[in-house]
Amino acid sequence: MPLKRTQAMTKTEPRVDYTASLDTALQRLHDEGRYRTFIDIERRKGQFPHATWTKPDGSEAPITVWCGNDYLGMGQNPIVLAAMHEAIDATGAGSGGTRNISGTTVYHKRLEAELADLHQKEAALLFTSAYIANDATLSTLPKLFPGLIIYSDALNHASMIEGVRRNGGAKRIFRHNDLDHLRELLAADDPAAPKVIAFESIYSMDGDFGPIAEICDLADEFGALTYIDEVHAVGMYGPRGAGVAERDGLMDRIDIINGTLAKAYGVMGGYIAASAKMCDAIRSYAPGFIFTTSLPPAIAAGAAASVAFLKTAENLRADHQAQAKALKLRLKGLGLPIIDHGSHIVPVIVGNPVHTQLLSDKLLEDHGIYVQPINFPTVPRGTERLRFTPSPVHGPREMDALVGAMDSLWSHCALNRAEDVG
């Protein structure tokens, strides 16, 4: 017997205009001057930081990349490329599964051994990115330590914030690098509760350093574990490139070290290095590890070769620091408002999203210099900036061109000149 059609069944309900909502959200970004665009760039093997820009009209132009995270040019190192070619010829393209299901190869194990040795830890655990490594590890720790309280620096990376937010445990946010505030928070909590302090060695937007030794002292005093993000330091600091904690002789005081293979190592992937039991527990409990297809063997092979190479490449690290110091000195000489905390990161504060985008566009279109604007929410409103990342492969000619362009455009845009703001 057919159903009777009721009034409720025939009534036309108002429909949500999803397209209009998307238009509104995107227009808001345009109105605030912080809509982000992708620049079509093709790197040329052996020629980095030079690349080719495909313009919106389809024409091509040569450019110099000044905002990449391939800090040491390892993405074109012949040793890395040879290792990747060898692996792909031997095994093919993909890994074929998760680490638990056919996705663990000799290349993954070799890379984890290189990373454990780098940080002088019992073990390392490989992830598809440092973002996933942070998120998966920090969100899993409360499962391993019931009642865990995580103390997180206010300027920690979004991946750490997400991991802390999702873990379902207690969290405390301490003011950036504020040891007194961290002490207050630690002292206010149950002494018997498990604790971990999560922070970074170098904060990438300002280029400032975390107070590693002092945080380790507080961790010892209050019985807390230490978790450090070294993504902007691995490969570039320390005698073997293990990061700032190695440079300062503090690696043994850090319980969990997070790092990336996509910046100074020039490839892709992320990892943690810790005790064998810690890595085993994260491996066994973290959904972000368990349910993710592992990195292709060729990627793991290239990363392992890069890590091994940079353990002995102190000359590259020295050249990198020298280039950063030279650029900061020259920009300061122009009176540009840079932040200088002594790291390799060179932020020039513009303070307005529209002006920041304009400078970026003019550098690219008129001078063939590519540097991406950094706007809210990556940095606070009013601190919008251009963030330069000089490398050993940026020569005197490239630096002269950049400094000259910045001097000219700063005047053209009628922006204020100021002394060092860091």
Side-chain angles (χ1 to χ4, degrees), residues 329-388:
L329 191 62
R330 294 188 65 177
L331 293 178
K332 283 182 183 180
L334 298 177
L336 301 192
I338 81 164
I339 299 176
D340 184 6
H341 290 288
S343 73
H344 62 282
I345 294 169
V346 186
V348 179
I349 302 299
V350 182
N352 177 287
V354 175
H355 288 159
T356 308
Q357 185 65 61
L358 177 63
L359 280 169
S360 175
D361 292 343
K362 288 291 186 182
L363 283 168
L364 182 64
E365 296 164 5
D366 299 344
H367 299 274
I369 292 170
Y370 173 50
V371 57
Q372 189 72 1
I374 308 294
N375 295 323
F376 178 84
T378 306
V379 295
R381 297 181 193 274
T383 70
E384 292 84 3
R385 66 197 64 186
L386 299 175
R387 176 182 171 272
F388 298 96

Side-chain angles (χ1 to χ4, degrees), residues 169-373:
K171 63 178 181 293
R172 313 280 185 259
I173 309 302
F174 62 94
R175 291 185 292 270
H176 178 53
N177 280 351
D178 190 331
L179 296 166
D180 291 335
H181 189 214
L182 175 57
R183 170 181 282 280
E184 289 176 15
L185 294 174
L186 287 162
D189 282 319
D190 182 357
K195 303 173 179 67
V196 61
I197 305 171
F199 63 107
E200 300 186 35
S201 63
I202 298 178
Y203 292 84
S204 63
M205 288 301 109
D206 285 353
D208 56 328
F209 294 89
I212 302 175
E214 292 83 355
I215 287 178
C216 288
D217 289 343
L218 286 173
D220 290 344
E221 181 179 349
F222 290 94
L225 296 173
T226 48
Y227 184 107
I228 192 169
D229 179 309
E230 288 256 37
V231 297
H232 287 277
V234 289
M236 296 173 285
Y237 293 81
R240 300 199 307 157
V244 180
E246 183 194 32
R247 182 198 69 179
D248 296 346
L250 298 168
M251 278 200 304
D252 62 319
R253 302 186 66 187
I254 303 294
D255 295 293
I256 305 173
I257 297 173
N258 169 278
T260 185
L261 302 162
K263 293 183 169 60
Y265 293 116
V267 192
M268 179 185 176
Y271 63 89
I272 60 168
S275 69
K277 286 186 178 180
M278 181 69 77
C279 289
D280 191 23
I282 297 299
R283 176 189 70 84
S284 302
Y285 280 87
F289 178 86
I290 296 169
F291 298 107
T292 299
T293 299
S294 65
L295 287 172
I299 296 292
S306 186
V307 172
F309 177 86
L310 285 181
K311 286 177 181 177
T312 61
E314 291 189 70
N315 59 314
L316 270 182
R317 284 186 280 279
D319 290 346
H320 183 222
Q321 292 294 321
Q323 286 289 79
K325 289 178 182 177
L327 180 58
K328 285 186 283 191
L329 191 62
R330 294 188 65 177
L331 293 178
K332 283 182 183 180
L334 298 177
L336 301 192
I338 81 164
I339 299 176
D340 184 6
H341 290 288
S343 73
H344 62 282
I345 294 169
V346 186
V348 179
I349 302 299
V350 182
N352 177 287
V354 175
H355 288 159
T356 308
Q357 185 65 61
L358 177 63
L359 280 169
S360 175
D361 292 343
K362 288 291 186 182
L363 283 168
L364 182 64
E365 296 164 5
D366 299 344
H367 299 274
I369 292 170
Y370 173 50
V371 57
Q372 189 72 1

Side-chain angles (χ1 to χ4, degrees), residues 83-84 86-92 94-96 98-99 102-115 124 126 294-305:
M84 296 182 73
E86 179 185 334
I88 201 166
D89 288 342
T91 68
S95 69
T98 66
R99 288 292 298 275
S102 80
T104 295
T105 70
V106 63
Y107 302 102
H108 297 86
K109 300 299 290 184
R110 184 181 302 161
L111 175 53
E112 288 176 335
E114 284 284 1
L115 294 168
L126 183 62
S294 65
L295 287 172
I299 296 292

